[in-house]
Amino acid sequence: MSVSFFDIDHDTWNYGKPKLRSAGKITLPEIHGVLPFSGVRNPITVSSTSHKTTFTYKTKANRGQPRVGLAESGAELAVAERSLITPGVYDVEFQPVRFPYRHPTGRTAWHTIDQRITFDSGLRRFVFVRNRASLLKPWVQDEIDAIADAVPENEAHEFAVVEAEAFSRPYRENLRRMHRYVSFEPDPAADAMVEDTIEHLRTLWRMADLIPHLDIPPYRIFRSCLRLIAAKKLQANLNAVICFHSRIWRSQS
């Protein structure tokens, strides 16, 4: 049987993506001036189904020095970036702890937690990220309960389950930019000017309304607004990609 030039492998009979042989773990070389990945498990491999990511981030625990972070999915990255821009967060760790738990089948299994968030207060929270379809399966819930029950008391005070679908694509893009501008491109002078203008401007509706009232370039206003949103001093619809035409409003004190 002849095959048409326009036929694509797996296009008509196999609706799933073809399974490829694993290429093994991807290990980053040492990066000058950047702290290495500190987790107990490297989750980065070549994948045709998961958005695995390497990135750099800064925390108070690292005294502002960049560290390599590894996220096994786009949702894990979004959860981390939300934490990294949240006031009061001291540290974010990836794949930090591996511990045993009693699987619902009765056997002993091991689990490496996705992330651990440490707050300025000393509170430590384990974060388990999973997609909605998986969380709806009863056997998955049983396993999550078993993992939560087995969390070592000296490693975390809380265990949180985060649904990946809580982070839409626009939300993830907003978090990506907020994290960049908060951690790597701070501008305290612009932030103070924008915050003062927002406080006294009676005609504030869109971000663009700020431009005529500030003697700084629009790009600095835009970045400052994202930093103020991250600091919860300004609000916007995070499920739409933020731009100069976005509706913004003051946070209620």
Side-chain angles (χ1 to χ4, degrees):
M1 183 177 66
S2 62
V3 179
S4 168
F5 175 79
F6 296 100
D7 286 345
I8 302 174
D9 287 345
H10 311 291
D11 187 46
T12 57
W13 60 273
N14 185 354
Y15 295 98
K17 293 185 177 181
K19 293 184 178 180
L20 305 176
R21 184 178 179 180
S22 173
K25 299 291 184 181
I26 298 174
T27 303
L28 293 178
E30 183 177 343
I31 304 172
H32 178 70
V34 178
L35 297 172
F37 175 65
S38 61
V40 299
R41 169 180 171 265
N42 176 6
I44 303 301
T45 59
V46 176
S47 175
S48 60
T49 58
S50 181
H51 180 199
K52 303 190 179 189
T53 305
T54 64
F55 66 107
T56 55
Y57 67 102
K58 298 179 181 180
T59 63
K60 298 173 187 174
N62 298 328
R63 298 181 179 179
Q65 185 175 359
R67 179 181 288 281
V68 171
L70 305 181
E72 199 163 11
S73 68
E76 285 187 23
L77 175 62
V79 172
E81 291 189 310
R82 183 180 66 177
S83 299
L84 288 165
I85 65 172
T86 299
V89 167
Y90 178 75
D91 196 15
V92 177
E93 301 166 89
F94 302 85
Q95 307 287 322
V97 180
R98 183 172 183 261
F99 56 92
Y101 69 98
R102 187 172 182 82
H103 193 273
T105 60
R107 63 182 174 86
T108 298
W110 288 81
H111 180 75
T112 305
I113 199 68
D114 295 325
Q115 295 171 23
R116 175 167 57 188
I117 303 169
T118 303
F119 295 86
D120 290 341
S121 64
L123 175 72
R124 289 176 293 174
R125 177 182 298 157
F126 274 175
V127 179
F128 181 102
V129 184
R130 190 64 67 88
N131 63 69
R132 181 180 302 159
S134 178
L135 292 174
L136 290 175
K137 298 175 181 177
W139 66 268
V140 172
Q141 284 294 338
D142 291 341
E143 187 171 3
I144 293 173
D145 291 342
I147 292 171
D149 289 340
V151 170
E153 293 183 358
N154 63 322
E155 296 288 359
H157 305 101
E158 296 180 351
F159 182 91
V161 178
V162 179
E163 184 180 293
E165 282 75 9
F167 296 86
S168 63
R169 286 192 177 185
Y171 190 6
R172 295 181 189 187
E173 173 61 19
N174 289 328
L175 288 171
R176 183 188 68 82
R177 291 185 293 174
M178 283 191 284
H179 175 222
R180 173 184 170 186
Y181 298 144
V182 168
S183 294
F184 294 92
E185 300 182 30
D187 189 348
D191 292 355
M193 295 172 65
V194 172
E195 185 177 2
D196 182 70
T197 302
I198 288 171
E199 182 66 28
H200 298 93
L201 187 62
R202 296 182 179 275
T203 57
L204 179 64
W205 182 260
R206 301 176 306 153
M207 189 188 296
D209 294 336
L210 293 167
I211 296 176
H213 300 275
L214 287 159
D215 190 22
I216 57 176
Y219 80 88
R220 290 183 66 189
I221 297 174
F222 175 77
R223 295 176 181 183
S224 180
C225 284
L226 285 178
R227 286 189 293 266
L228 292 173
I229 292 170
K232 303 186 184 304
K233 296 179 179 180
L234 187 63
Q235 291 184 300
N237 178 10
L238 293 177
N239 286 307
V241 177
I242 297 173
C243 65
F244 273 114
H245 299 291
S246 297
R247 167 82 170 96
I248 59 173
W249 60 95
R250 305 174 187 85
S251 296
Q252 297 296 322
S253 58

